[in-house]
Amino acid sequence: MPDRKQAAEKNTEQSHVEGRYFMRFTQAQRTLHAILFTTFLGLAATGLPLRFSESIWARKFASVVGGFGAIIFIHKLCAVVLTLAFLIHVIDIFKRALVHHEKGIFWGATSMVPNWKDAKNLFGHFRWFLGLGPKPQFDRYAYWEKFDYWAVFWGMIVIGISGYAMWFAPFFAHFLPGWALNAVLVIHGEEGLLAILFIFSIHFVNTHLRPDSFPMDMVVFTGVESEEEFRSKRAQEYERLAVQGKLEARISEKPEPWLVNFCKVAGFAAILIGLVLLVLTLSAYFKE
Ligand code: HEM
C-alpha cells in the first residue's frame, strides 16, 4: 500500500499544473439536469397554485396565465417532459451496465449506491464540525450528493405514479378502489410539497450555499471545475485517477466567459424562483 500511496503522491505532484480545468459532467448529463430543474420549477410553480387554489397569489397567477385550466396544462406538459428525461436516465444506466458492461455503476467509488465509506464520511464530517477530527476526503460523489440523488429518484417514482393515476383516473379505476384514488391525490400533493421543501432548502444549501461552493456551484452548468476545486472537494477521486493514470483524460478547456455568465444568470434565476416558491409554500402551509 505505501507504494500505491507514493505513486499517487508522485503522479499528483507531477500532474498538478496551475490553471487547468477538469471535466466532471458530460454534455448529456448537463442537458438532463437542465431539463430536470426547469421542468421541476414548472411543476412546482403550477402545482402550488393547484394545491393552495384559494390563496390570493394563486388566483392572481391563474388570471395572468389564462386560468386554472392553463395551469393544469403547463403542469402536465412539464410532467411529460420530466418523465421522458427520467426514463432516458434510467435506460442509460442499464444500457451502460448491461450492454456496455461498464464497471462501477452499481457499486464502488464511482457509483451512486451508498456504501460503508459514506457512513464513515458522514460521521467523520460531524466529528469535523465539532472540531474532533480531520475533514473527511470525498470520492466522485459525497454522501449528501447520493442522498439528494436518491431523494429525487424515489420522489419521481411516487410523484409520477400518483400523478398519472390522477391524470388517467378512469383507467386506473378499473384496478383501484375509490378510496385509493382519493389517497393518490393526498399522496401526490403531500409528496409534491415535500419535494419542493427538500429541493429548495436542503438541496440548495447542500449544493450551492455551503462555504465550499457559495454562492453557487457552477460545475453542473459548465461541466468543468478548476484543478484547485477538484483537489479540495474530491481529493480521493483526484488521487485515484492520478494512480490509475486517468487524470489527463479528464482535462478540459476553461469554460468560455459567455457560458459562465449565461450559467450564472440561469442558475441564480432558478435559485431565486426556488426560494420564492419555498416562502410561498411555507406561508400557505402554515395559514391552512
Ligand atoms: C410525472 C410527474 C407528474 C405528474 C404526471 C403530475 C400530474 C398531476 C396532476 C394530473 C394533478 C392534478 C391536476 C388537477 O387538479 O387536475 C397534479 C397536481 C399537483 N401536482 Fe403534480 N404531477 C407530476 C409531478 C409533480 C411534481 C414534481 C410536483 C412538485 C414539485 C407536483 C406537485 C403537484 C401539486 C402540489 C398538485 C396539487 C395537488 C392538490 O390539489 O392537492 N407534481 N399533478
Side-chain angles (χ1 to χ4, degrees), residues 29 59 61 104 124 128 134 136 174 177 226 239 244 286:
Q29 289 169 326
R59 289 171 192 207
F61 183 63
W128 178 66
H174 290 301
S226 70
E239 195 177 290
Q244 295 169 344
F286 287 118

Side-chain angles (χ1 to χ4, degrees), residues 40 43-44 47 50-51 72 75 79 83 159-160 163-164 166 188 192 196:
F40 186 84
L43 284 159
L50 292 175
R51 174 70 171 71
I72 292 174
H75 194 80
T83 307
I159 296 184
Y164 285 109
M166 277 197 289
H188 189 81
I196 292 169

Side-chain angles (χ1 to χ4, degrees), residues 39-53 68 71-73 75-76 78-84 155-168 184-197 199-200:
T39 52
F40 186 84
L41 284 173
L43 284 159
T46 50
L48 283 180
L50 292 175
R51 174 70 171 71
F52 302 108
S53 53
F68 280 96
I71 291 184
I72 292 174
F73 174 78
H75 194 80
K76 289 179 177 173
C78 291
V80 170
V81 179
L82 179 59
T83 307
L84 289 176
M156 259 316 291
I157 293 171
V158 176
I159 296 184
I161 292 175
S162 56
Y164 285 109
M166 277 197 289
W167 188 347
F168 302 105
V184 149
L185 171 68
V186 176
I187 292 170
H188 189 81
E190 296 306 305
E191 180 69 27
L193 289 189
L194 183 67
I196 292 169
L197 293 177
I199 296 290
F200 300 144

Side-chain angles (χ1 to χ4, degrees), residues 72-140:
I72 292 174
F73 174 78
I74 302 169
H75 194 80
K76 289 179 177 173
L77 185 69
C78 291
V80 170
V81 179
L82 179 59
T83 307
L84 289 176
F86 180 69
L87 291 177
I88 289 172
H89 173 63
V90 174
I91 292 168
D92 178 58
I93 289 173
F94 282 99
K95 215 166 103 188
R96 279 164 56 196
L98 304 178
V99 180
H100 301 301
H101 301 291
E102 200 179 306
K103 298 253 178 306
I105 295 210
F106 295 126
W107 196 248
T110 55
S111 171
M112 269 294 178
V113 177
N115 55 36
W116 179 233
K117 192 179 159 297
D118 293 313
K120 284 207 294 200
N121 277 347
L122 173 65
F123 286 108
H125 227 172
F126 277 104
R127 284 173 59 81
W128 178 66
F129 290 149
L130 299 171
L132 299 174
K135 191 177 180 183
Q137 310 260 290
F138 301 102
D139 208 301
R140 167 99 192 149

Side-chain angles (χ1 to χ4, degrees), residues 214-227:
F214 187 82
M216 190 167 69
D217 194 333
M218 298 285 288
V219 70
V220 81
F221 301 108
T222 62
V224 298
E225 61 189 345
S226 70
E227 187 154 23

Side-chain angles (χ1 to χ4, degrees), residues 16-36:
H16 181 67
V17 178
E18 284 300 312
R20 293 197 305 184
Y21 281 77
F22 288 82
M23 170 73 77
R24 174 157 169 79
F25 294 117
T26 63
Q27 179 66 56
Q29 289 169 326
R30 282 147 54 203
T31 306
L32 273 188
H33 181 264
I35 295 173
L36 172 71

